[in-house]
Amino acid sequence: MEILFFGQLADMVGKPSWQTDTVQDTDALKARLEATFKGLQQVKYMIAVNKKMVQTNTTLSCTDSIALMPPFSGG
Amino acid sequence: MEILFFGQLADMVGKPSWQTDTVQDTDALKARLEATFKGLQQVKYMIAVNKKMVQTNTTLSCTDSIALMPPFSGG
Amino acid sequence: MERKPKNIFREGAIPAAFVGDSIAKHATNHNIGGHSIFLGQVRADEIGGKKVQAIEYTTYEEMALEKMHEIREAIFAKYPLTCMHVYHSLGAVPAGEICLFVFTSSAHRKPAIDACAECVERIKAELPVWGKEIFEGEGYQWKVNTP
Amino acid sequence: MERKPKNIFREGAIPAAFVGDSIAKHATNHNIGGHSIFLGQVRADEIGGKKVQAIEYTTYEEMALEKMHEIREAIFAKYPLTCMHVYHSLGAVPAGEICLFVFTSSAHRKPAIDACAECVERIKAELPVWGKEIFEGEGYQWKVNTP
């Protein structure tokens, strides 16, 4: 599955997106991301699955579009 | 003294201003106005003395500028 | 020394392009983060089968300018504003045209938004200005402001 | 049938004249009595001795447009509005220029004013947009919105 990174997170991981094997749920995804990109352990980020923010652990399928987002700062 | 009329009050009394002998206070002025222009008995109006609204009976001098105003409807 | 009250009155409608120009003038102020604008527009209300084609505004000018000065000072004292501009039409303003323009600016959005809303309320409630709704064809009625 | 979300994004700054033109277009709507406008302007903040010369905006566009559509529907359901328009810049916007334009209209002033303020708050809190503050000379930092 493909993970999109936005704002300072794309800076931090050094790329706008990252391919990884499908994981079961968002908790597992977080664990994998934070193991791969240690910087993520220190910052606040949110996960969107299919363009909706998820607050609790959410099951993932290989076709989901997943995005990691820092706090918004538009306007 | 000269009394200025604004908005529908000028319509009602048929003129933008009216000269009258100096009266002692705003209560006496109201009585005289309403005796002269009966229509004023039926409508809501406010009195400004020297460009300030007066809410209570106020002593008048012959040099005061006096205005009768209907409710505001600007904007 | 007392500051002379600014004249807020303009003869006829306030052109939309004037609003654009006023905004553009603030591009040189690099401390501004937000602008809030209110525009009053003349509605073609239908009253008893007659349509409003224009509103004709009159004022007690000296009193209105003094009152506006007082409102301006109170709002600057209450909110950290960079700028505040107010324009009100006198004379006839046709339906669809702008008759009131209130424009506030501040470093952050909240003061500009709150000050603009408060200024509009105070103008409607406290400025000695009267609108006469002129009907198509003939006739008129005096406007009454909604609270 | 689902309505296609409107694209709110514009490349670069929003010209002040565009705001004037948008206002002028509403002169044909004779049910409108009040317009409320919010404009976000880029500040030249000084941070650690460095001055912001521009903010560069990026977004997660598909998500932002869906969210904006949701906000628009919620605000139209809550307030009796005639119109609502939102524009947000993407890419670099120099200090002093406009990066956000929110424009609401209604028959009476209150709904337009309240809807505009609420829309601005929701845009700042809920739209996936990020601002990068570009310093004069070199360097940048990621913008943080005040609540």
Side-chain angles (χ1 to χ4, degrees):
Chain A
M1 61 203 330
E2 189 189 42
I3 322 291
L4 303 174
F5 298 99
F6 290 97
Q8 53 271 57
L9 301 183
D11 268 13
M12 179 180 287
V13 305
K15 54 188 104 184
S17 67
W18 182 60
Q19 293 285 344
T20 186
D21 294 338
T22 300
V23 289
Q24 195 186 320
D25 54 35
T26 50
D27 279 358
L29 175 68
K30 277 187 206 176
R32 188 184 296 171
L33 281 162
E34 294 185 13
T36 313
F37 308 106
K38 309 269 186 224
L40 289 176
Q41 294 169 20
Q42 322 295 329
V43 297
K44 218 189 134 194
Y45 64 88
M46 300 165 287
I47 297 180
V49 177
N50 299 325
K51 299 176 268 171
K52 301 282 177 210
M53 308 288 285
V54 298
Q55 313 287 353
T56 54
N57 191 22
T58 302
T59 305
L60 296 175
S61 95
C62 61
T63 58
D64 287 335
S65 56
I66 297 164
L68 246 68
M69 302 177 298
F72 306 149
S73 55
Chain B
M1 61 204 327
E2 191 190 40
I3 322 292
L4 303 175
F5 298 100
F6 290 97
Q8 53 270 58
L9 300 183
D11 268 15
M12 178 180 285
V13 305
K15 55 190 103 185
S17 68
W18 182 60
Q19 291 289 343
T20 186
D21 295 338
T22 301
V23 291
Q24 197 187 320
D25 54 35
T26 51
D27 279 358
L29 175 67
K30 276 188 206 175
R32 188 184 297 172
L33 282 162
E34 294 185 14
T36 313
F37 307 106
K38 309 269 185 225
L40 289 176
Q41 295 169 21
Q42 322 295 329
V43 297
K44 220 190 134 193
Y45 64 88
M46 300 164 287
I47 297 181
V49 177
N50 299 325
K51 299 176 268 169
K52 301 281 176 209
M53 307 289 284
V54 299
Q55 313 286 351
T56 53
N57 192 23
T58 302
T59 305
L60 296 175
S61 94
C62 60
T63 57
D64 286 336
S65 57
I66 297 164
L68 244 70
M69 302 179 298
F72 306 149
S73 55
Chain C
M1 198 191 78
E2 195 154 327
R3 240 177 83 207
K4 197 174 167 279
K6 253 183 172 171
N7 191 358
I8 61 167
F9 293 110
R10 289 293 176 269
E11 198 55 37
I14 297 160
F18 176 77
V19 178
D21 291 347
S22 301
I23 295 164
K25 278 184 188 155
H26 291 76
T28 53
N29 188 327
H30 290 185
N31 299 319
I32 293 174
H35 303 288
S36 185
I37 292 174
F38 177 81
L39 301 169
Q41 183 168 306
V42 173
R43 278 195 318 275
D45 282 351
E46 227 179 280
I47 303 157
K50 291 189 157 191
K51 211 172 189 176
V52 173
Q53 68 169 12
I55 296 181
E56 203 178 287
Y57 290 99
T58 52
T59 184
Y60 180 8
E61 185 159 333
E62 298 103 301
M63 183 175 163
L65 296 183
E66 266 190 23
K67 176 53 83 175
M68 190 63 233
H69 185 68
E70 184 190 317
I71 294 172
R72 185 188 302 276
E73 302 276 295
I75 287 181
F76 266 100
K78 185 167 172 185
Y79 300 99
L81 295 184
T82 315
C83 310
M84 172 166 151
H85 306 280
V86 173
Y87 301 93
H88 196 299
S89 296
L90 290 182
V93 180
E97 301 290 314
I98 306 297
C99 56
L100 173 63
F101 172 24
V102 178
F103 183 12
T104 54
S105 311
S106 53
H108 298 276
R109 67 190 181 280
K110 274 297 261 175
I113 291 173
D114 293 346
C116 186
E118 184 168 328
C119 188
V120 171
E121 292 310 311
R122 293 198 62 177
I123 285 170
K124 296 249 180 189
E126 299 176 40
L127 277 202
V129 174
W130 299 277
K132 190 171 159 175
E133 296 171 317
I134 312 290
F135 296 128
E136 282 178 2
E138 59 176 20
Y140 67 85
Q141 78 167 16
W142 290 92
K143 182 172 175 260
V144 177
N145 273 2
T146 54
Chain D
M1 198 190 79
E2 195 154 325
R3 240 176 87 206
K4 197 173 165 281
K6 253 183 172 171
N7 190 358
I8 61 166
F9 294 110
R10 290 290 175 275
E11 198 55 37
I14 296 161
F18 177 77
V19 178
D21 291 346
S22 302
I23 295 164
K25 279 185 189 155
H26 290 77
T28 52
N29 189 327
H30 290 185
N31 300 318
I32 294 174
H35 302 288
S36 186
I37 293 173
F38 178 81
L39 302 168
Q41 182 167 305
V42 173
R43 276 194 320 274
D45 282 352
E46 225 176 283
I47 303 156
K50 291 190 158 193
K51 210 171 188 177
V52 173
Q53 69 169 13
I55 297 181
E56 203 178 286
Y57 290 99
T58 51
T59 185
Y60 179 9
E61 184 158 334
E62 297 104 300
M63 183 174 163
L65 296 183
E66 268 190 22
K67 177 53 83 176
M68 191 61 232
H69 185 68
E70 184 191 317
I71 294 172
R72 185 188 301 276
E73 303 275 295
I75 287 183
F76 265 100
K78 186 167 171 185
Y79 300 99
L81 294 184
T82 315
C83 311
M84 171 166 151
H85 305 281
V86 173
Y87 301 94
H88 196 299
S89 295
L90 290 182
V93 179
E97 301 290 315
I98 306 296
C99 56
L100 173 63
F101 172 25
V102 178
F103 183 14
T104 54
S105 311
S106 54
H108 298 277
R109 67 190 180 280
K110 274 298 259 175
I113 291 173
D114 294 345
C116 185
E118 183 168 327
C119 188
V120 171
E121 292 311 309
R122 292 197 62 177
I123 285 169
K124 296 248 179 189
E126 300 177 41
L127 278 202
V129 174
W130 299 276
K132 191 170 159 176
E133 296 172 317
I134 313 290
F135 296 129
E136 282 177 1
E138 60 176 20
Y140 67 85
Q141 78 168 16
W142 289 93
K143 181 172 176 261
V144 177
N145 273 1
T146 53

